[in-house]
Amino acid sequence: MKKILEVSNLRTYFNTFKGVVKAVDGVSFNMYEGEVVGVVGESGGGKSITGFSIIKLIDEPGIINADKIEFNGIDLMKSTDSDMNAIRGKEISMIFQDPMTSLNPVYTIGKQIEEVLIIHRKELNQKERKERCIELLEMVGIPNAKNRLKSYPYQFSGGMRQRVVIAIALASNPKLIIADEPTTALDVTIQAQILNLMKKLVNETKCSLMLITHDLAVVSEITDRINVMYCGKIVETGPTKELISSPIHPYTQGLIDSIPSDNKSGSRLRTIDGIVPNMFDLPSGCAFEPRCKFSTEICKKEKPEIVMSGTRGVSCHNALGGKFNE
């Protein structure tokens, strides 16, 4: 498979009056053509900042540094603002959390889809743009697409608005879509529809999808590979089926154990003890150590580096000891 994205040692820091927040601290991963990669973890873990950093949508006081962010052969770290404006929306599209705030309430749906085509598909005339807008709405499953072009966002349900946002993201045939919590504002049944739609569209268009979410159950449904993030770092990575069936890091195990299941009917829902540490005052060793029941002295003193073995990777001092299977 062709490599579409290579992120090497990404660091996004925010300089504040209270100190430096290392929101993303040394993240590295690759993505390949047609692949769906999940980025999962609790709020504040750096998932969304990772996505925004890739397309350089971080404002001051945020500072992005990386050894490399290479997209389709282009080093984005060396790209100018003008270069990035040409890439965003055309080569890389973003789907944001809340479809209502992603859409302009005073413009019709058709106008908002067409805007992307005017900017990034200049070869299309007005008639061709309208035909493309209708095609996109039909692609994402909106009935009576021709007439719905004249509708406003308030005339759509939450699930239908998210379908429109997905249509906008697909308008210029991007090679990569970054979806930031795309189903958070939707109810459970609509979530499933949107996830199935996104998986179907990835298969049809051969684009790659980065799915950012706090819900491990969501990523387990449609992703090929998962990156688990905690306090700005990837603590475990691997193929979805392997990572879900045999997690190595205790944090990943905690996330999986906390998923409600029919097998646990009548039993208390399991949680991860403790809370996420203050990002201004992270532990000197492993960030997860204060919450980890398997911690040892080395965990308190030294930050673990991620170690790869084949397609699996884990950042844990005791991961190879087998003690997490007890």
Side-chain angles (χ1 to χ4, degrees):
M1 283 191 296
K2 178 184 175 183
K3 187 186 294 183
I4 198 75
L5 178 69
E6 181 180 353
V7 178
S8 178
N9 197 21
L10 172 63
R11 306 172 303 285
T12 303
Y13 297 169
F14 292 85
N15 296 307
T16 72
F17 292 114
K18 290 182 66 176
V20 178
V21 175
K22 297 181 178 181
V24 179
D25 191 19
V27 164
S28 300
F29 65 93
N30 298 326
M31 285 186 66
Y32 297 88
E33 198 173 65
E35 185 181 37
V36 182
V37 173
V39 182
V40 67
E42 291 169 282
S43 297
K47 309 180 303 297
S48 297
I49 297 297
T50 297
F52 294 145
S53 298
I54 289 169
I55 54 176
K56 299 171 84 170
L57 279 182
I58 300 293
D59 294 325
E60 293 184 355
I63 299 172
I64 305 169
N65 281 299
D67 293 348
K68 183 193 292 185
I69 304 177
E70 187 173 293
F71 167 73
N72 203 30
I74 301 169
D75 191 345
L76 301 185
M77 288 302 296
K78 298 177 181 177
S79 298
T80 63
D81 289 343
S82 177
D83 294 334
M84 291 306 302
N85 286 335
I87 290 171
R88 294 190 204 106
K90 183 177 182 181
E91 302 289 335
I92 305 176
S93 290
M94 190 101 190
I95 299 173
F96 296 97
Q97 279 194 36
D98 187 350
M100 196 61 206
T101 56
S102 298
L103 296 170
N104 192 321
V106 301
Y107 287 108
T108 64
I109 295 302
K111 184 78 173 176
Q112 295 186 63
I113 301 175
E114 186 182 23
E115 184 179 19
V116 179
L117 300 175
I118 291 172
I119 296 171
H120 295 299
R121 297 288 301 276
K122 298 183 187 298
E123 74 278 8
L124 301 180
N125 58 39
Q126 187 174 10
K127 181 182 177 183
E128 290 170 333
R129 288 197 300 269
K130 184 177 180 180
E131 289 173 351
R132 176 62 175 161
C133 289
I134 294 170
E135 178 189 1
L136 287 162
L137 289 185
E138 289 174 343
M139 191 184 297
V140 297
I142 292 181
N144 196 18
K146 185 176 180 180
N147 292 330
R148 296 314 297 267
L149 287 177
K150 302 172 186 176
S151 300
Y152 289 85
Y154 77 89
Q155 295 173 296
F156 285 75
S157 66
M160 295 293 267
R161 285 196 292 266
Q162 194 62 293
R163 288 172 185 266
V164 172
V165 172
I166 293 171
I168 292 172
L170 291 168
S172 59
N173 296 320
K175 293 180 175 64
L176 172 64
I177 296 175
I178 300 173
D180 182 26
E181 304 270 10
T183 60
T184 296
L186 309 175
D187 62 54
V188 176
T189 54
I190 303 301
Q191 279 187 20
Q193 292 176 15
I194 295 298
L195 289 171
N196 289 333
L197 170 65
M198 293 175 72
K199 181 69 173 178
K200 173 175 172 284
L201 293 172
V202 166
N203 290 335
E204 290 177 354
T205 62
K206 303 302 180 187
C207 70
S208 303
L209 172 66
M210 181 187 299
L211 179 60
I212 299 168
T213 179
H214 63 274
D215 191 341
L216 196 58
V218 166
V219 294
S220 66
E221 291 291 323
I222 70 166
T223 58
D224 302 303
R225 199 154 42 88
I226 295 175
N227 293 327
V228 180
M229 288 193 68
Y230 188 78
C231 290
K233 293 180 178 290
I234 293 177
V235 295
E236 185 166 358
T237 183
T240 299
K241 289 183 179 178
E242 290 182 30
L243 188 141
I244 296 294
S245 62
S246 57
I248 301 172
H249 198 284
Y251 178 60
T252 310
Q253 285 195 323
L255 291 176
I256 293 171
D257 288 343
S258 64
I259 298 173
S261 139
D262 292 339
N263 298 329
K264 301 174 185 174
S265 179
S267 61
R268 287 180 62 86
L269 187 66
R270 296 178 65 177
T271 60
I272 303 174
D273 294 336
I275 60 173
V276 177
N278 187 333
M279 293 299 286
F280 289 105
D281 187 26
L282 291 173
S284 56
C286 174
F288 189 65
E289 185 276 327
R291 307 175 71 184
C292 182
K293 60 184 178 181
F294 301 114
S295 69
T296 59
E297 279 304 308
I298 192 173
C299 303
K300 297 176 182 179
K301 298 175 181 177
E302 295 182 19
K303 295 183 184 296
E305 297 295 327
I306 192 161
V307 177
M308 297 297 298
S309 177
T311 57
R312 300 293 300 272
V314 66
S315 174
C316 180
H317 290 301
N318 301 309
L320 302 179
K323 63 190 298 181
F324 302 136
N325 295 321
E326 294 176 3

